[in-house]
Amino acid sequence: MRGRGRRGLLVFALALLAGTAACSGSGAGNSVPKREARATGATSSPAPAALRTPAVTLAEAGRALSGILGAGAVLEGATPHLEADRRNILEQTRDAQEALTMAAFNSSAGALPHYTWGRPELLVPREQQAPLWFAAIVDREDSAGDVRSAVLTLTKYGEHAWYLSSTSLLERDAPVPEIAKDAEGYAVALAEDDPTTAISPRLMAPLHATSAEEGSAGFAAGLIEKGPHTTGYAEEIAGKRPKYKSDCLGYDSIFGASNYPVRALRTADGGAMVMYSLIRTTSVTAKIEPCADIRVPRDAERLASAPGARKELRTVETQQYVSTVPAKNSRTLARVIGYLGGVTKVMAN
């Protein structure tokens, strides 16, 4: 009976991915997260004389998102928990989300966290080129009842398969961005080198990395707001160096733009909401041997082959972000409004 139940569970999860448990087409696109208080229809951009057929319809996007979130919920709640459940969840991911999901599975043998998802606001660009993609803003509730608004991006690789590419949780005090939409509810995707915003989408990641490394003294200070994920990182690094030095250890942490996709949508104020990833590499090095023990961080122990290192320890984090960028010539600064990340690799020498 247990074997038959397990096969039935996997079949049900795969059926969700195939779209048999699809949400209704345009209804999913018009719903919004709980914390959303704006009236999106009041600020829709005027309809052009003739709208092009969308590359991805709202109905298709709704089915893809419903299938992935539904299958994930089934597999996360499976009892008993099997390795096959993790493999099936991992197969639904790509890009930065795949790296974080794999690291999460490798770092813990425990049960998977279970989330309940609200009704999404679909952000589907009308015009775009392959690989096709769309975003969604949706409330995520964990098993403790904590609700956070999340920004998800899904990408279509191949002819039929949709994958979860990234997930970022909006800061609790951050307003949900208002995305510009046409008369039929479709968004506008921006090219990576779009010149109409204060920071082009492809430059947001490297400028963010500069702010995280150089802090308020860096040249990005006049472009990006201060915060825990920008200048806060620089302050954290500067604060840790003296302690490590007193233990005859060197400490450094650098940030860089990743090779994962950069996605951007036009906001109602003429700016952009940009979704991208950074890679943070932190190094702890023994200056003199023998020196103090270099220990692997507790939350990353299962990713390492040993509990510590003699000469050098490097930890690599994959960080997913959402930022808002003002329109060109605006006096406001870009702001990081969403984040989700974790350690994805540990290297000990």
Side-chain angles (χ1 to χ4, degrees), residues 13 22 48 66 80 98 127 138 177 205 224 246 250 281 304:
S66 179
E98 182 178 21
E127 298 181 29
V138 56
I224 303 174
S246 67
T281 304

Side-chain angles (χ1 to χ4, degrees), residues 159-233:
E159 269 188 61
H160 306 291
W162 284 94
Y163 300 92
L164 183 61
S165 290
S166 69
T167 302
S168 298
L169 299 180
L170 294 180
E171 301 295 336
R172 297 185 188 277
D173 62 343
V176 177
E178 184 175 353
I179 303 300
K181 298 178 182 177
D182 62 28
E184 294 182 352
Y186 288 90
V188 177
L190 301 184
E192 290 191 5
D193 58 352
D194 185 271
T196 65
T197 55
I199 301 173
S200 64
R202 73 177 178 85
L203 292 180
M204 186 61 210
L207 286 173
H208 184 167
T210 299
S211 178
E213 287 186 20
E214 300 179 358
S216 300
F219 70 87
L223 298 171
I224 303 174
E225 280 190 14
K226 295 180 180 180
H229 297 296
T230 54
T231 54
Y233 281 134

Side-chain angles (χ1 to χ4, degrees), residues 42-54:
T43 57
S44 295
S45 56
L51 294 173
R52 292 187 180 182
T53 301

